Amino acid sequence: MCSPSATLTVWAGSWLAGRSAPDDVLDALRAWAPRQSVAAGDPVTGGHTGLPWPSAEPIDGGSGIMVLLKVVRESLAAPRAQLRLVLPVPGDARGLPPATEFAAAAMDAEEGILVGVPGAEGTGLVPQWVDEDTLQWTVYHTPIPTPVPDMALGEAEYAMREAIRDAADALMRLQTTGIGTGDDDPRELVEAELADYSRHIYPDSAPLRARRILDSADYVAAILTVAQQSPASSPASASALQAQETLLRPLWDALRAARLAAVHAAAGTR
């Protein structure tokens, strides 16, 4: 799984559909960090949920995650409520409610979750790393925008097959320009990146096609991550880095679109 937000989206969807237990969600989230805490991101959320805001200590440990799941369940209680993952990056704010605290936090984290009825007020969740062992979830009161339609799973699967080839070609091209991985074997670096993704499992209820897409997306992400690494001993020029950005940006865009489609299918929110 690509991010804590994706993990929570998939596993919360499975739990709310009665296919997974709350402990399954806890175990999946703890694969990201052994310590997780929850706090409100604004006074309205603090008042509605009882979560600490702004200076009180966040709710920590397993009890904090259970409070988080309670917030998700209550936010999905209304008819037509949805659970949606967002993966924004600078220049691509799709799915975000504009000019909101949630949008700013999600853009900074490059991930987040929206829970509620499109067109109404709902809940936003953003994970942020406190340190290497602690992940804090911040809960926001936020408007829920009309969701951007996901690509079809068949299209997403095809896109990831093409992206694997294109990402491998991009890695080879960047190595020849001196931006690549230096003397390190890129295959070993890609495998090391993939090892991090492989710690995160999917619910048994996730559709097989969605799992294939997510696995392919992880492979593409591993290649692109290695392709972006420049040896410290030979820093790349500004023009070379711009060429790298031009080459890799479309692949990252396709990757995020495919992941969103697969995660929503796995969570049962398409």
Side-chain angles (χ1 to χ4, degrees):
M1 200 70 70
C2 62
S3 67
S5 295
T7 293
L8 179 56
T9 302
V10 168
W11 281 96
S14 178
W15 164 59
L16 292 167
R19 300 187 182 100
S20 299
D23 284 348
D24 296 328
V25 187
L26 264 66
D27 289 343
L29 288 175
R30 283 171 176 155
W32 286 100
R35 296 184 66 248
Q36 300 194 32
S37 59
V38 185
D42 56 77
V44 173
T45 301
H48 286 174
T49 63
L51 290 172
W53 182 92
S55 59
E57 284 296 315
I59 299 174
D60 205 351
S63 60
I65 298 177
M66 294 307 296
V67 170
L68 184 66
L69 295 183
K70 180 175 180 289
V71 169
V72 171
R73 183 181 61 199
E74 291 176 349
S75 299
L76 283 172
R80 299 191 302 110
Q82 298 180 2
L83 180 68
R84 305 285 298 183
L85 173 69
V86 292
L87 297 172
V89 294
D92 183 2
R94 78 182 79 175
L96 293 182
T100 60
E101 291 182 76
F102 167 78
M107 181 64 75
D108 183 60
E110 297 190 354
E111 62 176 293
I113 303 171
L114 286 165
V115 194
V117 179
E121 296 295 308
T123 301
L125 312 171
V126 178
Q128 294 175 310
W129 293 97
V130 177
D131 55 48
E132 63 181 10
D133 294 321
T134 307
L135 189 65
Q136 177 171 312
W137 294 87
T138 304
V139 183
Y140 295 88
H141 183 77
T142 186
I144 306 296
T146 300
V148 178
D150 292 323
M151 66 168 61
L153 288 186
E155 181 184 357
E157 191 167 25
Y158 176 79
M160 287 302 92
R161 285 200 298 267
E162 293 289 298
I164 289 174
R165 181 199 64 200
D166 293 344
D169 289 345
L171 176 58
M172 291 182 62
R173 288 176 60 183
L174 290 172
Q175 283 186 294
T176 63
T177 64
I179 302 179
T181 58
D183 295 330
D184 295 320
D185 185 341
R187 291 170 297 183
E188 293 181 0
L189 295 174
V190 169
E191 289 300 320
E193 291 289 333
L194 279 173
D196 283 339
Y197 291 120
S198 67
R199 296 183 294 112
H200 307 286
I201 61 174
Y202 314 128
D204 292 338
S205 58
L208 180 59
R209 173 172 269 181
R211 295 190 202 187
R212 287 201 304 264
I213 294 167
L214 291 170
D215 286 340
S216 296
D218 288 346
Y219 188 45
V220 174
I223 297 173
L224 295 180
T225 299
V226 171
Q228 288 182 192
Q229 295 171 352
S230 175
S233 59
S234 56
S237 67
S239 60
L241 290 176
Q242 181 59 49
Q244 179 194 70
E245 169 72 8
T246 301
L247 184 62
L248 301 185
R249 180 67 177 266
L251 293 170
W252 281 116
D253 290 345
L255 175 64
R256 288 196 306 278
R259 275 176 166 165
L260 289 170
V263 164
H264 292 149
T269 57
R270 284 182 63 87

